[in-house]
Amino acid sequence: MNRKKILMMINFFPPSAGGGVYRPLSFVRYLSGSGWDVTVITPRPGEFWINDPGLESKVPPEVRVIRTKSFSGQRILANLGKGKQSGSSRSSSRFGLMRKAGEFVLIPDTYVGWVPFAAGAAAKLCRSERFDMIYSTSPPDSTHLAAGRTSRRFHLPWVADFRDPWISLYLRDPATPIHAAIHKNLEKRVSAAKLVLVTTTWQKEKLLSLFPSCRVEKIPNGYEEEDFPEGLAIPDGDGKLKIVHAGMLTLGRSSRPFLEGLRLFLDRRPGAGESVEVTFIGPRESANEEWVGRLGLGGNVRFRDNIAHSECVNIERASDLLLLIKHDDPRYTGLVPGKLFEYIGARRPILAIAPDGEAASIVRDLNRGEVVPAGDREAVAAVIDKFFILHKEGRLGSSYSLGVVREYSRRVLAGKLELLLRSIAGNDHSLGEA
């Protein structure tokens, strides 16, 4: 099979960490191992506030990584000393104000300052060698602007990957009607890519309703098989019900619904406090720790700063119960957190605090755990009680279907991507006006 050359624009790339890193990193790895010459253009370290240097070892040595300058909002604030946070916690009030200010001034997002550097690096490469296609992934949505510019200038087929929908159109309200119009126009430009990838059925249907001529394919997020070997034994616990939440807690995805339900459960079952241990791992807004204090849960709940991904998946696998929290906002109903698939890979029961939608359906259809709505602390307390009794009786693991789900393996999903790329590589390079 002839080797093809792909230029990949990825803003969040190791040593950056967080949920947005793993999907494009897996694509880089598997494409490189499937006969593709991969070049990645990414900012220099410091573009994102979460880092895991250990992830750099996941990048195959044959992959060329071009790191550029950037003037993102995060980088500027960090250089000024105003973007710092304590460990993996940042001020909820300060960050909320900064984000609103940034969204008003910087379009489509606060990372738009990377666009000229990314496009410039791509142009330098494309003047000296021929690529078969260009790939970009978002968020941040501004990455697509750099890829679109390169695609038009050098007549390259363009694959635009949306890990999330266009942020300021679907997940946050545009600052003004003028901002909304600009965002809609930019999204329309990206829809002219040769291929648009999405992660959920909702997003595919939405894009096709807006842009019927757009070619949209769904490739969900997934998990790395190598992170969860099938023969890996679950360590014997100490009798405590160990609940683990791994991932970011943001202004819109708060631990509060779970914590209020946990408080209610503990009040109703005296003595259970000694047998329940909750750990939140990863970056968070400071309001989450404030709620633990207000509810008197300091003896049961602890927060750990961001840790190496390899350590995190080991903790997930050794837990009794994995906690998934979705945004309590109708705009997020169609989204499926990437962390859900990692939990599926860990093969532990899941407590999903989530509205009805694709994520809730996956948990229910796979019989992977229980789903409760975010606004119902009574329901949260009741389901914690159910898990507590099952654990005490030694029936927690056997009460749910915890087998391997191959369809969500990133190896399988990357194979699907590779077939799609092969189908357009080397074909007619004509592009719609982007």
Side-chain angles (χ1 to χ4, degrees):
M1 185 177 291
N2 294 331
R3 295 188 70 86
K4 297 290 185 180
K5 297 180 68 173
I6 184 169
L7 183 60
M8 305 183 76
M9 289 190 172
I10 305 172
N11 192 293
F12 302 149
F13 196 70
S16 292
V21 170
Y22 306 116
R23 175 183 173 92
L25 174 59
S26 71
F27 287 167
V28 167
R29 295 178 64 216
Y30 290 116
L31 287 176
S32 176
S34 300
W36 290 77
D37 290 330
V38 178
T39 298
V40 174
I41 296 179
T42 190
R44 293 173 183 170
E47 190 73 350
F48 198 45
W49 67 297
I50 312 170
N51 292 284
D52 179 0
L55 288 177
E56 290 186 283
S57 65
K58 298 282 190 178
V59 181
E62 60 271 21
V63 171
R64 177 172 52 173
V65 180
I66 308 295
R67 299 188 183 274
T68 74
K69 294 180 180 179
S70 175
F71 288 139
S72 72
Q74 168 67 27
R75 190 181 296 272
I76 293 172
L77 287 170
N79 290 339
L80 292 174
K82 296 180 180 180
K84 296 179 181 179
Q85 58 277 329
S86 176
S88 292
S89 178
R90 63 185 179 189
S91 169
S92 298
S93 58
R94 181 192 301 175
F95 177 70
L97 291 172
M98 289 191 300
R99 189 175 73 182
K100 287 183 179 179
E103 289 174 348
F104 189 87
V105 177
L106 303 172
I107 301 176
D109 49 56
T110 57
Y111 295 91
V112 71
W114 181 54
V115 171
F117 297 99
K124 182 177 180 181
L125 289 170
C126 290
R127 281 194 293 266
S128 62
E129 57 188 288
R130 178 68 189 177
F131 292 90
D132 292 284
M133 66 180 56
I134 186 168
Y135 162 97
S136 56
T137 181
S138 67
D141 298 306
S142 53
T143 305
H144 295 312
L145 305 187
R149 185 182 303 179
T150 305
S151 171
R152 295 189 296 274
R153 183 175 179 183
F154 295 97
H155 308 290
L156 293 179
W158 172 24
V159 177
D161 181 22
F162 283 93
R163 302 189 311 276
D164 287 324
W166 193 279
I167 297 293
S168 289
L169 282 176
Y170 303 105
L171 307 184
R172 292 200 284 268
D173 294 325
T176 69
I178 294 176
H179 285 76
I182 295 173
H183 282 291
K184 289 178 181 177
N185 181 60
L186 292 175
E187 183 190 39
K188 183 177 181 180
R189 291 187 183 187
V190 179
S191 74
K194 197 78 170 181
L195 173 65
V196 175
L197 300 176
V198 298
T199 59
T200 68
T201 300
W202 173 88
Q203 190 178 2
K204 180 175 181 178
E205 293 173 348
K206 183 66 175 179
L207 283 179
L208 288 176
S209 69
L210 293 172
F211 314 111
S213 63
C214 180
R215 182 183 178 186
V216 185
E217 297 287 348
K218 173 187 169 183
I219 298 182
N221 281 305
Y223 67 89
E224 289 288 357
E225 289 183 43
E226 64 185 45
D227 288 341
F228 305 103
E230 288 189 44
L232 183 65
I234 300 173
D236 292 331
D238 56 6
K240 288 186 177 182
L241 174 64
K242 292 184 172 64
I243 305 173
V244 171
H245 176 281
M248 188 182 299
L249 293 170
T250 65
L251 295 171
R253 187 170 59 236
S254 166
S255 62
R256 179 179 174 180
F258 169 78
L259 295 175
E260 290 182 337
L262 177 63
R263 179 70 272 166
L264 193 59
F265 159 76
L266 293 174
D267 290 343
R268 291 175 175 175
R269 190 175 280 276
E274 298 179 358
S275 302
V276 177
E277 178 182 285
V278 182
T279 304
F280 289 92
I281 302 172
R284 59 202 176 271
E285 308 297 342
S286 58
N288 293 281
E289 286 153 306
E290 294 167 7
W291 275 107
V292 169
R294 292 179 191 178
L295 293 168
L297 293 171
N300 300 96
V301 180
R302 64 170 178 157
F303 291 89
R304 293 189 62 180
D305 287 347
N306 197 56
I307 60 178
H309 186 249
S310 57
E311 182 182 357
C312 184
V313 296
N314 287 337
I315 293 174
E316 290 170 2
R317 181 64 176 147
S319 70
D320 298 302
L321 182 64
L322 292 169
L323 173 62
L324 182 79
I325 300 174
K326 274 204 66 179
H327 293 77
D328 185 19
D329 187 325
R331 292 174 295 186
Y332 287 78
T333 300
L335 272 65
V336 180
K339 183 59 67 173
L340 172 57
F341 299 99
E342 186 170 284
Y343 284 1
I344 290 172
R347 305 196 300 280
R348 307 305 302 133
I350 297 169
L351 166 53
I353 300 179
D356 284 337
E358 197 167 335
S361 294
I362 290 172
V363 176
R364 291 188 180 113
D365 292 346
L366 293 176
N367 188 30
R368 214 67 175 190
E370 304 289 342
V371 180
V372 293
D376 191 343
R377 65 173 187 166
E378 290 280 351
V380 174
V383 80
I384 294 175
D385 192 67
K386 177 179 180 178
F387 284 125
F388 180 81
I389 293 172
L390 289 173
H391 177 262
K392 189 175 182 180
E393 295 176 349
R395 298 188 296 115
L396 181 53
S398 62
S399 297
Y400 299 95
S401 300
L402 303 178
V404 175
V405 184
R406 295 288 182 201
E407 65 184 283
Y408 293 134
S409 161
R410 284 208 185 102
R411 184 182 302 276
V412 173
L413 297 171
K416 180 178 180 180
L417 171 66
E418 208 267 340
L419 289 175
L420 289 170
L421 298 185
R422 290 278 177 189
S423 74
I424 62 176
N427 292 345
D428 180 12
H429 287 188
S430 61
L431 298 167
E433 184 179 352

